[in-house]
Amino acid sequence: MHGEYKVPGGKLVVVDLDVREGRIADFRLAGDFFLEPDTALASIDAAVTGLPETADVAAIAAAIRADLPEGVQMLGFTPEAVGTAVRRALVTAPGWRDFDWEIVHEKAVSPRMNLALDEVLTARVGDGRRRPTLRMWEWDSSAVVIGSFQSLRNEVDPEGAARHGFDVVRRISGGGAMMMAAGQIVTYSLYVPASLVAGMTFADSYAFLDDWVLQALRSLGIEAVYQPLNDIASPTGKIGGAAQKRLANGGVLHHATLSYDIDGQTMTEVLRIGREKLSDKGTASAAKRVDPLRSQTGLPRAEVIQRLLDTFARLYGAERGTITADEYAEAERLVEEKFSTDAWLKRVP
């Protein structure tokens, strides 16, 4: 059995192993990481060999740590990364390039339509009716998008939202509220089969699915890093955040919003939670908490988006595609039946 795991911001971890009588046998670790002393490689191999094939990432990592010599230096990987590679080998998880990827970047639609498309395209990837896809959003109006489980009244100031022209909508994924001013953010969605993240913890899958974004941002001169659980940041502040939804049919939605520009004053007047967090710091700190791509790159939003799309295509061999008329029609029905209803918006009052 063979498994691979690219550590977000780190190195590639490769494992080969057999299973005999329910235990891992003939385990071998390889990769482009750094390890000192080099004799520690044999210690890691020995630690994993003999473990039950049901051992989870935490158990594998604990066994490795227990057998590592004192003072060992692991650069570009961790015992948990080895554990993840082992689990992926045991479930024969595919890698990015084992899939035929599609990129779509189409016309601007309403915030509700964007949310409906997320549900429709995720379901279709899960059913095998669509290739795994990266979609870049465009929207024709501003909105506050709250997480699936957030309280509407706790998160949004309705008077402030109306005054600044923000619609209020609820998405199917969890996480926090996002103030999505038209033309001031960059939002993308990944629709992937669950097999791509098989063997990973939920937390690890976040960083794994956004590693390509870190590479794209670094190519623009941004020292981008991933901060658990779901933030993309730089030394000067947070850039954006991600959220996920996993459907019963095996489709996984992973989407993220990156701030291209921001109005700190507006944020504190529209989002209640932002106002409370910043009440003792002053409005000026609102913009500092989220450091936009515009100030860090000096590039137009369209150029930032193009670098993201080009990076994804280069890394994974993705091709440009389209959203079909049937998919748009299904999403329009979902807007009417779900995303435009008070029952959905106020599911958590």
Side-chain angles (χ1 to χ4, degrees):
M1 299 176 183
H2 179 85
E4 297 184 0
Y5 176 59
K6 169 63 169 60
V7 179
K11 299 297 185 178
L12 181 67
V13 177
V14 182
V15 301
D16 291 281
L17 57 94
D18 290 323
V19 173
R20 300 195 191 103
E21 298 181 350
R23 293 192 173 271
I24 297 172
D26 299 330
F27 179 80
R28 293 291 181 270
L29 172 66
D32 60 355
F33 49 77
F34 299 93
L35 179 64
E36 294 293 342
D38 58 12
T39 54
L41 185 64
S43 298
I44 296 174
D45 289 347
V48 178
T49 298
L51 290 177
E53 65 174 323
T54 55
D56 61 14
V57 171
I60 296 168
I64 292 171
R65 283 195 170 89
D67 275 15
L68 285 175
E70 185 177 352
V72 68
Q73 297 291 314
M74 303 177 69
L75 303 177
F77 78 123
T78 63
E80 284 75 15
V82 178
T84 298
V86 171
R87 292 310 315 166
R88 288 176 64 76
L90 290 167
V91 299
T92 60
W96 287 93
R97 281 193 167 268
D98 292 319
F99 295 101
D100 185 16
W101 290 93
E102 185 171 312
I103 293 173
V104 293
H105 185 200
E106 298 199 345
K107 63 183 180 182
V109 295
S110 70
R112 289 180 174 84
M113 187 64 170
N114 272 310
L115 298 177
L117 283 169
D118 268 359
E119 185 166 339
V120 168
L121 300 182
T122 304
R124 292 201 174 205
V125 169
D127 289 340
R129 291 181 289 160
R130 161 171 278 278
R131 294 187 290 173
T133 300
L134 166 67
R135 177 173 76 95
M136 191 66 64
W137 291 29
E138 295 293 350
W139 56 103
D140 57 14
S141 59
S142 299
V144 174
V145 182
I146 62 174
S148 180
F149 312 109
Q150 287 189 297
S151 164
L152 176 61
R153 70 166 68 98
N154 288 345
E155 299 299 325
V156 183
D157 183 326
E159 293 181 359
R163 184 168 62 255
H164 290 286
F166 282 82
D167 194 5
V168 183
V169 294
R170 185 185 295 274
R171 62 180 184 266
I172 62 173
S173 63
M178 302 297 294
M179 191 181 81
M180 302 173 70
Q184 293 185 12
I185 60 166
V186 175
T187 297
Y188 59 85
S189 295
L190 280 168
Y191 314 108
V192 307
S195 58
L196 179 62
V197 292
M200 295 184 193
T201 65
F202 191 75
D204 283 344
S205 71
Y206 270 83
F208 176 78
L209 291 174
D210 277 336
D211 187 55
W212 66 276
V213 180
L214 302 187
Q215 295 186 54
L217 294 177
R218 288 169 186 162
S219 75
L220 293 172
I222 298 173
E223 297 178 41
V225 296
Y226 212 86
Q227 294 182 341
L229 170 66
N230 61 337
D231 284 349
I232 299 171
S234 73
T236 54
K238 177 179 174 179
I239 296 172
Q244 284 187 14
K245 176 67 176 180
R246 302 189 179 203
L247 303 185
N249 71 352
V252 176
L253 164 65
H254 178 95
H255 49 194
T257 293
L258 311 178
S259 177
Y260 174 72
D261 205 350
I262 191 169
D263 184 331
Q265 179 64 44
T266 299
M267 185 173 76
T268 60
E269 294 178 11
V270 171
L271 299 180
R272 292 190 191 278
I273 193 69
R275 182 185 311 159
E276 293 168 4
K277 283 183 177 180
L278 298 164
S279 60
D280 62 341
K281 300 179 179 66
T283 302
S285 66
K288 294 179 181 178
R289 288 176 62 89
V290 180
D291 198 67
L293 297 174
R294 181 179 182 179
S295 65
Q296 294 203 52
T297 66
L299 296 174
R301 176 177 173 273
E303 288 190 28
V304 173
I305 288 175
Q306 192 59 53
R307 180 63 61 89
L308 292 172
L309 298 180
D310 289 347
T311 299
F312 191 89
R314 174 178 57 81
L315 289 172
Y316 309 132
E319 298 178 348
R320 288 300 182 104
T322 61
I323 299 172
T324 67
D326 181 56
E327 289 168 335
Y328 274 122
E330 185 178 348
E332 287 171 356
R333 291 193 295 271
L334 200 56
V335 168
E336 181 178 351
E337 297 169 2
K338 179 177 181 177
F339 290 101
S340 290
T341 66
D342 277 352
W344 173 251
L345 177 62
K346 299 178 180 178
R347 66 185 296 239
V348 183

